[in-house]
Amino acid sequence: METISRTKIVDAVKNPAIGTKVNVKGWVRTRRGNKHVSFVALNDGSTIHNIQVVIDMTRFSEEELKPITTGSCINVNGLLVESQGKGQTAEIQAEEIEIYGTADPTTYPLQKKGHTLEFLREIAHLRPRTNTFGAVLRIRHAMAFAIHNYFNQKGFFYLHTPIITASDAEGAGQMFQVTTLDLENPPRTEEGKVDYSQDFFGKHSNLTVSGQLEGELGAMALGAIYTFGPTFRAENSNTPRHLAEFWMVEPEVAFNEIKENMDLAEDFLKYLIQYALDNCKDDLEFLCKMWDNELIDRLNFVVANDFVRLPYTEGIEILEKSGHKFEFPVEWGVDLQSEHERYLVENHFKKPVILTDYPKDIKAFYMKLNEDGKTVRAMDVLFPKIGEIIGGSQREENYDKLAARIEEMGIPMKDMWWYLDTRRFGTAPHSGFGLGFERLLLFVTGMANIRDVIPFARTPKNAEF
Ligand code: 4AD
Ligand code: MG
């Protein structure tokens, strides 16, 4: 075969150099035709669009083409010409074809179109080859890039916080333990407890549930930082919104109070959604057509409208007065369930809502106590179809108040000395939040299940590859 440098299909369809000889490589989506001509729809992952390869049967034999079935991978040289077919700009008249890899039609799982998302979860190793997952994964990339772009433009520094840590940032005890001890026969202390001083890190360690506490250390030196990394939670909740391994984005800003924290969260989310609208048009249009025809309208709506800002106490009043029958009853003091959050957003306000000033007893120890002594300066951003997409707060910067909360909540003080030191040395007001990256992707892609917006979902009983 003649050596021609490869053209990605995205370039061949978007900026076709009509009349030139090109090389494309990709996976066959379909092949159809008759004894005079054969049409191959070829995709290389660079775009949702396929390029059509037209094969003149006077130049190729049926025998040569036989292995070119759905899922096979081919290498094609040919002339790029204007397309006759509607909806396409260019197609390729094949001159030379090399078959890289075949895909036996009797066993290739994606032989037919229209598989359910549930079935595709079982073949997570192949589902990136479908239109839907191609679109989702390209959008996922674009959103990750946009996150770095946003913070870089705003002068935030990307801080790499540890994956392995001895601290439980959220104090919820939902951690995966990390150990090199022999679980069958661990070393024991004199009292008969497992002796973690002999473990790899010399103490009980786990995978991080959040980079926040270390993020605060960074903010108290660099002014404004963000983390963006994997976080792990061993909550046994099999819901369409929870993963055991998910990615979190956590900005933390010195001198920001809760109001500025809310402004940042709203501006950030709107930037990301606008970025998707501007840069992922083809993929969004596909997802809109395929799964959720209100998707693009919903994205535009969120960008165009102010988020409602409302104290928890008023939110509870609205829910109590709504007359709506909830599965989980509401009263002041309860932690809101997604059904409550979605009622406020979808039925009552019909807009994203930032709920603030939650009861201290349902929130983490580090949140700043309000003057009422009952509520804390928390803020959750609630989105249509999702519920909570962001959780954040102004942090307690007062050493004594923070130490009292740590004590009150039974968190071992001796493990928190390093965190408390920021309040001992040059403490300052500061705030931050955590955006669940996959929750963002649920919103931006319109997918209904969080397992479908991450390449390889980690959920209870599911971590094979
Ligand atoms: O509300 P959370 O627990 O807040 C924190 O972890 C804080 N330390 C953040 C901060 O202030 N820096 O989690 C933040 C967000 C949630 O709003 C949600 O979007 C997402 O992380 N999240 C999950 N996403 C997927 N699966 C799970 N199991 C999640 N748990 C939380
Ligand atoms: Mg939360």
Side-chain angles (χ1 to χ4, degrees):
M1 241 174 107
E2 189 188 343
T3 310
I4 306 172
S5 71
R6 178 184 163 220
T7 299
K8 283 196 184 175
I9 290 172
V10 66
D11 299 321
V13 294
K14 292 273 161 177
N15 306 304
I18 298 292
T20 61
K21 212 163 152 184
V22 296
N23 170 267
V24 292
K25 305 177 200 292
W27 293 270
V28 173
R29 286 294 165 81
T30 56
R31 182 162 77 88
R32 61 193 173 80
N34 52 44
K35 59 181 192 297
H36 307 295
V37 62
S38 192
F39 300 102
V40 172
L42 198 67
N43 190 284
D44 67 0
S46 59
T47 161
I48 188 89
H49 299 296
N50 303 325
I51 194 150
Q52 174 156 275
V53 179
V54 184
I55 306 170
D56 177 352
M57 296 305 283
T58 59
R59 304 174 73 149
F60 295 88
S61 71
E62 210 23 90
E63 202 51 32
E64 277 175 280
L65 299 187
K66 212 165 159 231
I68 303 180
T69 57
T70 297
S72 63
C73 188
I74 60 173
N75 179 19
V76 181
N77 284 343
L79 193 65
L80 197 60
V81 297
E82 234 159 274
S83 176
Q84 311 301 312
K86 75 168 177 29
Q88 304 172 13
T89 49
E91 61 188 31
I92 294 172
Q93 286 173 351
E95 290 172 8
E96 293 174 288
I97 303 178
E98 177 188 359
I99 296 166
Y100 279 145
T102 58
D104 183 347
T106 62
T107 53
Y108 181 56
L110 295 172
Q111 180 60 30
K112 294 242 154 26
K113 280 187 160 184
H115 291 299
T116 64
L117 294 169
E118 289 78 10
F119 171 75
L120 293 176
R121 272 173 225 148
E122 287 164 24
I123 51 162
H125 60 305
L126 293 171
R127 70 177 182 172
R129 295 197 197 176
T130 63
N131 284 328
T132 294
F133 285 92
V136 166
L137 294 177
R138 280 185 296 270
I139 293 171
R140 191 178 163 104
H141 160 79
M143 289 293 89
F145 178 78
I147 285 164
H148 289 298
N149 222 16
Y150 178 85
F151 287 124
N152 187 52
Q153 282 171 14
K154 299 242 166 205
F156 284 60
F157 300 104
Y158 182 24
L159 186 76
H160 294 98
T161 50
I163 308 276
I164 302 174
T165 171
S167 101
D168 175 5
E170 294 303 295
Q174 297 167 323
M175 295 164 307
F176 290 101
Q177 191 175 340
V178 175
T179 180
T180 52
L181 293 180
D182 177 2
L183 291 181
E184 308 285 330
N185 185 24
R188 304 247 172 217
T189 61
E190 276 169 19
E191 301 92 71
K193 294 205 173 128
V194 175
D195 183 5
Y196 285 107
S197 71
Q198 295 187 46
D199 202 352
F200 189 91
F201 297 107
K203 53 173 24 191
H204 192 285
S205 313
N206 49 269
L207 296 177
T208 188
V209 295
S210 157
Q212 179 195 323
L213 302 193
E214 295 89 349
E216 285 185 52
L217 309 180
M220 296 305 279
L222 298 165
I225 63 89
Y226 69 105
T227 74
F228 184 9
T231 46
F232 307 87
R233 294 195 186 177
E235 47 194 339
N236 212 343
S237 42
N238 248 315
T239 81
R241 284 176 301 278
H242 288 87
L243 290 166
E245 176 180 302
F246 62 100
W247 287 65
M248 213 196 308
V249 186
E250 296 183 275
E252 190 72 36
V253 189
F255 318 118
N256 266 11
E257 307 223 359
I258 190 75
K259 154 88 170 55
E260 292 145 321
N261 205 32
M262 288 192 259
D263 293 344
L264 178 66
E266 182 166 343
D267 187 61
F268 177 48
L269 286 169
K270 286 179 172 171
Y271 172 88
L272 295 177
I273 296 165
Q274 188 62 52
Y275 188 93
L277 286 164
D278 293 343
N279 293 278
C280 308
K281 196 161 173 289
D282 293 353
D283 288 323
L284 286 176
E285 278 169 3
F286 171 81
L287 293 171
C288 198
K289 200 169 70 197
M290 185 75 188
W291 299 106
D292 177 355
N293 47 41
E294 289 165 7
L295 173 62
I296 293 179
D297 290 344
R298 203 160 50 239
L299 299 182
N300 280 310
F301 179 84
V302 167
V303 172
N305 287 281
D306 287 343
F307 297 3
V308 174
R309 299 180 182 191
L310 185 81
Y312 167 93
T313 303
E314 286 175 35
I316 292 288
E317 279 164 22
I318 292 170
L319 293 170
E320 281 176 334
K321 287 193 195 132
S322 71
H324 187 87
K325 185 131 185 52
F326 294 107
E327 191 187 334
F328 295 90
V330 246
E331 58 174 341
W332 199 94
V334 299
D335 204 358
L336 294 186
Q337 302 292 325
S338 139
E339 56 166 344
H340 307 132
E341 296 171 340
R342 292 183 59 181
Y343 182 88
L344 289 174
V345 171
E346 290 163 31
N347 300 60
H348 191 82
F349 289 109
K350 302 192 164 59
K351 277 185 188 186
V353 173
I354 310 184
L355 212 57
T356 59
D357 304 294
Y358 284 71
K360 67 174 185 193
D361 294 335
I362 56 171
K363 289 294 184 187
F365 72 94
Y366 50 69
M367 296 190 184
K368 184 176 171 68
L369 197 62
N370 281 320
E371 289 72 35
D372 63 11
K374 285 195 315 196
T375 58
V376 286
R377 235 162 265 185
M379 51 164 251
D380 279 10
V381 182
L382 315 178
F383 255 37
K385 301 204 45 148
I386 315 283
E388 179 188 342
I389 190 164
I390 278 181
S393 61
Q394 184 170 343
R395 320 307 189 187
E396 183 57 77
E397 83 268 23
N398 179 285
Y399 182 93
D400 294 328
K401 288 187 189 164
L402 182 62
R405 282 300 282 156
I406 291 177
E407 194 103 26
E408 214 169 277
M409 296 181 78
I411 302 163
M413 193 72 83
K414 66 169 184 13
D415 295 343
M416 299 306 292
W417 63 272
W418 52 275
Y419 184 69
L420 281 159
D421 262 7
T422 53
R423 276 66 168 174
R424 285 214 304 157
F425 306 123
T427 192
H430 61 288
S431 303
F433 60 80
L435 166 68
F437 187 51
E438 286 76 19
R439 299 251 177 115
L440 169 76
L441 287 168
L442 279 176
F443 185 72
V444 172
T445 63
M447 300 304 282
N449 194 309
I450 201 163
R451 293 165 177 77
D452 299 332
V453 295
I454 187 164
F456 306 101
R458 296 291 91 117
T459 50
K461 306 274 183 293
N462 180 26
E464 189 175 9
F465 59 84

